[in-house]
Amino acid sequence: MMKATTRTLLCLSGALAACIAVTLLLTFSGRGGTEADQAPTYYFTNYSAPEELLLASLENDTGSVVLAAANGVYRAAGDLQLEADSEQVEAFFNTVYRLPLKRLLEEADASDPQYGLTEPRAEILLQDVSQDGVLFRVGSATPDGEGYYACLSGDARVFVMDRIYAQQLLRNVDRFFDLSLYPSLAGEGVCGLRSIEVQRNGVPVYTLRLSFASQDGSTAVFSMTAPYSLTLGIHQAKNEILTPLRELKGTQVIGQPGDLEAYGLSDRGSCFILTFEDGSTAAIRVGAQAGTETYVLREDTGMVMLVPTANLSFFYDTALQVVGQNLVDVSMGNLTALQIGDHVYQISGTPPTLNVTRDGTEQSLEEFQNGVYTALNRISLQGEWDGAEAHGAPLAEMVIQTKYADETTQTASYAFFALENRLCGVAVNGEPAFLCSQSAVQQLIGAAG
């Protein structure tokens, strides 16, 4: 049963006084066939455009909210003292400006409790720019699950509303507010990000820093600074880090959460921290899972929210998973220099026209791509390495220099040490890091000549 709030009831009463007597809109939609075959289609609203709606008041099992739209500006007012999520409010108006109904339920009466309209699951007021409007209710689901019973306020007739429309009216009203956990990283917003730290169960997992971001934010290069020091591949960083971070928003606010321990949020043992260019930080605690969602706490506001667990993949990844399957993941267009043993390759130009030299002598692009570059990309990671069992000089050494938008971002060095079981230990910038196959390293050495 809905719990009506004073604000909602006042809004409904005031708006109702301004509305004319509501009548159901009846229109005929062309469905082909003869006139006898055509049946009436009923609508609660049938405006020509969303812009004709000015106000919406929605109350359902999750709470109440008043939405307003004017000249492309969207507002939301309710129990949450937060800014409106303009995209969600706009989407709502785009849905409700035209509300068709599946059918009229013959000989049914809205006062019959079996339809759930005496204690509705949702009550909606829509008001247009002419101060006309409609107030209707959504009740129980139909037995087949394909719709919900609905009626106009003060009208005994019972209609069936399609499930797709009804569920938009039954969803949590918190979605109409900006439930962002930190400043948006969409588009150029990523340019303001400086670092990401992840700590799980009291143990630091990894730290990343933003090395480079294009002005429009379409390209972002991250470097891992702990537990290893290396540049991540652009696609790997985008898929494993940037995309889930950009998509991570709250879906619901937990009102009066009380004991944070019940949500797994009593301390900062599991959290991630974003640091921004202006020196500000966003610390987000990550707690227990509830179905497909996870409790999080925004430390700056003390607000507890639920977020989709799927969008927290970066938090649950190990450092090795963030790095990916390949030791090196860089496109040829971002390579400026590659040294393998005593041989030095220089790469210049812009894809697809690249120039390659080997020890100062021109080499065909095809030969470089099919030889050294292919062998480099075939070195896959087989685990982490702590430096044990390494004896003597390395089997091979390699230095890679990369650039992005004509800016050199990082020079990374790799040393390969022969281990037992045909494995190699890989030290990155002097620190033991990964295991890989000896045969893959031998193929790289052979390709370099």
Side-chain angles (χ1 to χ4, degrees):
M1 178 178 178
M2 293 188 303
K3 297 180 179 180
T5 65
T6 301
R7 177 188 291 122
T8 302
L9 292 176
L10 288 174
C11 177
L12 290 174
S13 299
L16 274 175
C19 292
I20 63 170
V22 176
T23 57
L24 192 66
L25 299 173
L26 300 178
T27 64
F28 291 88
S29 62
R31 301 180 181 176
T34 65
E35 184 175 348
D37 294 330
Q38 296 177 355
T41 298
Y42 301 94
Y43 295 85
F44 277 169
T45 59
N46 193 17
Y47 295 100
S48 61
E51 290 74 20
E52 293 189 49
L53 285 177
L54 180 66
L55 177 74
S57 179
L58 168 64
E59 184 178 6
N60 62 26
D61 295 340
T62 69
S64 60
V65 65
V66 178
L67 309 174
N71 301 320
V73 177
Y74 299 94
R75 307 287 186 187
D79 295 332
L80 299 180
Q81 302 303 308
L82 297 171
E83 295 294 324
D85 185 324
S86 295
E87 290 185 4
Q88 288 289 341
V89 178
E90 181 181 14
F92 182 80
F93 279 105
N94 286 342
T95 297
V96 300
Y97 84 96
R98 187 174 186 273
L99 283 174
L101 302 165
K102 290 172 72 74
R103 65 183 183 274
L104 171 66
L105 205 61
E106 299 291 346
E107 299 182 2
D109 193 298
S111 64
D112 189 334
Q114 69 173 309
Y115 303 115
L117 295 169
T118 54
E119 294 184 357
R121 293 190 57 187
E123 191 163 13
I124 303 93
L125 168 70
L126 300 175
Q127 187 172 332
D128 61 33
V129 293
S130 301
Q131 301 300 306
D132 295 334
V134 60
L135 176 63
F136 62 94
R137 297 173 176 177
V138 176
S140 305
T142 57
D144 60 8
E146 293 302 312
Y148 285 77
Y149 299 117
C151 73
L152 286 168
S153 180
D155 192 319
R157 291 176 294 178
V158 177
F159 298 85
V160 176
M161 178 180 289
D162 191 281
R163 175 172 52 90
I164 294 176
Y165 289 96
Q167 287 183 341
Q168 293 301 310
L169 306 172
L170 299 173
R171 289 176 57 198
N172 197 300
V173 298
D174 288 355
R175 75 184 191 275
F176 296 114
F177 297 90
D178 185 357
L179 302 186
S180 300
L181 303 179
Y182 37 76
S184 174
L185 301 178
E188 62 185 18
V190 72
C191 298
L193 182 64
R194 284 298 171 267
S195 68
I196 306 165
E197 302 172 51
V198 172
Q199 180 173 308
R200 197 163 56 244
N201 299 321
V203 178
V205 180
Y206 63 83
T207 301
L208 306 179
R209 66 176 176 84
L210 184 71
S211 300
F212 167 80
S214 59
Q215 290 185 350
D216 62 1
S218 60
T219 300
V221 180
F222 288 90
S223 295
M224 182 174 286
T225 59
Y228 333 113
S229 177
L230 76 166
T231 301
L232 302 181
I234 292 178
H235 297 296
Q236 179 70 10
K238 177 181 178 181
N239 295 334
E240 291 296 320
I241 302 296
L242 196 52
T243 295
L245 275 173
R246 282 173 167 169
E247 294 178 350
L248 186 61
K249 292 183 63 176
T251 60
Q252 178 183 343
V253 175
I254 306 301
Q256 301 179 338
D259 184 8
L260 293 178
E261 189 172 354
Y263 302 94
L265 298 168
S266 58
D267 57 46
R268 197 186 268 194
S270 293
C271 70
F272 62 94
I273 302 171
L274 307 184
T275 303
F276 299 92
E277 184 180 21
D278 61 4
S280 63
T281 61
I284 312 298
R285 298 184 193 178
V286 180
Q289 295 185 17
T292 60
E293 297 187 303
T294 297
Y295 294 106
V296 301
L297 168 69
R298 277 181 50 174
E299 286 194 348
D300 61 332
T301 64
M303 189 175 293
V304 175
M305 301 183 188
L306 280 169
V307 301
T309 303
N311 292 344
L312 278 168
S313 57
F314 69 92
F315 175 79
Y316 296 107
D317 279 350
T318 65
L320 187 62
Q321 287 173 316
V322 173
V323 173
Q325 296 181 338
N326 296 330
L327 175 64
V328 177
D329 183 8
V330 60
S331 68
M332 282 198 299
N334 296 124
L335 276 175
T336 58
L338 173 62
Q339 180 176 350
I340 303 173
D342 296 329
H343 300 293
V344 178
Y345 297 84
Q346 298 285 344
I347 301 94
S348 59
T350 304
T353 306
L354 292 173
N355 301 310
V356 181
T357 63
R358 178 179 183 272
D359 300 330
T361 301
E362 185 175 349
Q363 184 182 49
S364 75
L365 178 61
E366 183 179 4
E367 183 179 355
F368 174 76
Q369 182 172 2
N370 294 336
V372 169
Y373 183 73
T374 297
L376 180 64
N377 282 276
R378 286 178 176 169
I379 301 178
S380 59
L381 301 180
Q382 299 185 13
E384 294 182 303
W385 179 52
D386 61 5
E389 301 180 3
H391 303 288
L395 182 66
E397 293 182 291
M398 175 176 70
V399 179
I400 296 178
Q401 189 178 69
T402 54
K403 69 171 184 179
Y404 300 91
D406 297 326
E407 295 183 20
T408 300
T409 59
Q410 187 168 336
T411 299
S413 64
Y414 301 79
F416 301 91
F417 295 87
L419 305 177
E420 295 180 354
N421 300 318
R422 299 295 296 167
L423 293 174
C424 266
V426 185
V428 182
N429 295 321
E431 296 292 332
F434 308 115
L435 293 170
C436 71
S437 166
Q438 271 193 43
S439 62
V441 176
Q442 292 289 2
Q443 289 177 15
L444 179 64
I445 295 172

